[in-house]
Amino acid sequence: DTGVSQDPRHKITKRGQNVTFRCDPISEHNRLYWYRQTLGQGPEFLTYFQNEAQLEKSRLLSDRFSAERPKGSFSTLEIQRTEQGDSAMYLCASSPARRLYGYTFGSGTRLTVV
Amino acid sequence: TQLLEQSPQFLSIQEGENLTVYCNSSSVFSSLQWYRQEPGEGPVLLVTVVTGGEVKKLKRLTFQFGDARKDSSLHITAAQPGDTGLYLCAGALNNNDMRFGAGTRLTVKP
């Protein structure tokens, strides 16, 4: 297992289009997190899964955003009707049940909405 | 307003110098983590501190968690160009909520 993988690394889309990102966590980790990071800021929490259950969603996650984690393995984050303000780095992280081990982040997906 | 305030925001020093960066909050955290992030990559975990007053050393890096578990510091001794990056602190408010600061961007010049 080589860590958390995110695909694609970069995505350029036109305003109004839908985009979907994928995250493959470390296989032994049952917790999966999505964060968004804009320039000059730290990561902002979007949502969290424990196995296949989505347990928490930030108010940042408008109704245009949806995340899934079928079968508790990989996860997808979809943004519908993209807006220029959605341009950011979308980071996925996974962790074991004991959070003291910390998060392992993927390299992120850089989204640019033009 | 960030829940976690990191200072300084930017720091540029010469190789061999020592430095300290700070992470402060009015909230109490059950644990606090430090990460380093390089451009175009995700953050990489450096350390987790749990107990108030705890000090952890990782080679030239020394991490301290405040007695009240509201603040933390990271001290780097004899900085090297390879230490260049964005240093992020993250505090756990509860079992599911980890909040990040905006980071300190460190540049170490050779």
Side-chain angles (χ1 to χ4, degrees):
Chain A
D1 201 349
T2 55
V4 178
S5 298
Q6 291 190 246
D7 183 69
R9 288 294 308 272
H10 304 275
K11 178 71 176 179
I12 300 174
T13 190
K14 291 184 177 179
R15 189 174 50 187
Q17 297 294 306
N18 300 341
V19 293
T20 300
F21 311 140
R22 177 180 171 124
C23 172
D24 287 271
I26 292 174
S27 55
E28 308 90 74
H29 290 179
N30 63 353
R31 297 186 176 197
L32 186 147
Y33 307 83
W34 284 99
Y35 282 81
R36 181 175 71 186
Q37 186 175 25
T38 53
L39 200 61
Q41 298 297 318
E44 297 173 296
F45 171 77
L46 292 178
T47 191
Y48 150 67
F49 290 86
Q50 181 157 313
N51 299 313
E52 67 275 10
Q54 188 174 17
L55 297 186
E56 193 167 340
K57 294 197 297 185
S58 163
R59 65 181 183 280
L60 294 174
L61 214 67
S62 74
D63 56 5
R64 296 185 299 105
F65 287 72
S66 62
E68 295 182 340
R69 192 183 182 196
K71 303 178 183 178
S73 56
F74 71 93
S75 177
T76 57
L77 177 68
E78 181 183 15
I79 309 175
Q80 296 181 326
R81 305 180 303 281
T82 53
E83 301 172 356
Q84 286 189 319
D86 297 331
S87 295
M89 173 78 89
Y90 289 84
L91 292 163
C92 174
S94 68
S95 73
R98 290 196 64 192
R99 287 179 67 246
L100 294 182
Y101 290 109
Y103 292 1
T104 301
F105 279 89
S107 297
T109 294
R110 168 75 63 189
L111 173 66
T112 303
V113 182
V114 298
Chain B
T1 304
Q2 294 270 1
L3 185 65
L4 284 157
E5 296 290 338
Q6 291 193 244
S7 61
Q9 188 176 358
F10 298 96
L11 184 59
S12 181
I13 60 171
Q14 293 295 133
E15 182 176 3
E17 293 183 3
N18 301 334
L19 67 112
T20 302
V21 298
Y22 301 92
C23 174
N24 295 296
S25 178
S26 57
S27 298
V28 177
F29 299 105
S30 57
S31 67
L32 191 139
Q33 298 171 353
W34 284 91
Y35 293 79
R36 187 174 80 194
Q37 185 177 24
E38 298 190 15
E41 298 295 327
V44 176
L45 179 69
L46 296 175
V47 77
T48 300
V49 286
V50 178
T51 306
E54 182 177 1
V55 177
K56 279 192 174 179
K57 291 192 176 183
L58 185 67
K59 297 183 181 178
R60 295 177 294 101
L61 278 60
T62 301
F63 305 86
Q64 185 163 5
F65 200 13
D67 291 341
R69 305 205 315 274
K70 294 181 179 181
D71 52 80
S72 181
S73 63
L74 159 58
H75 181 80
I76 301 179
T77 303
Q80 300 175 359
D83 296 327
T84 293
L86 178 68
Y87 287 82
L88 294 160
C89 66
L93 287 174
N94 56 44
N95 204 32
N96 303 327
D97 196 352
M98 181 77 77
R99 301 289 187 92
F100 283 79
T104 291
R105 188 164 299 280
L106 171 66
T107 302
V108 182
K109 300 175 186 176

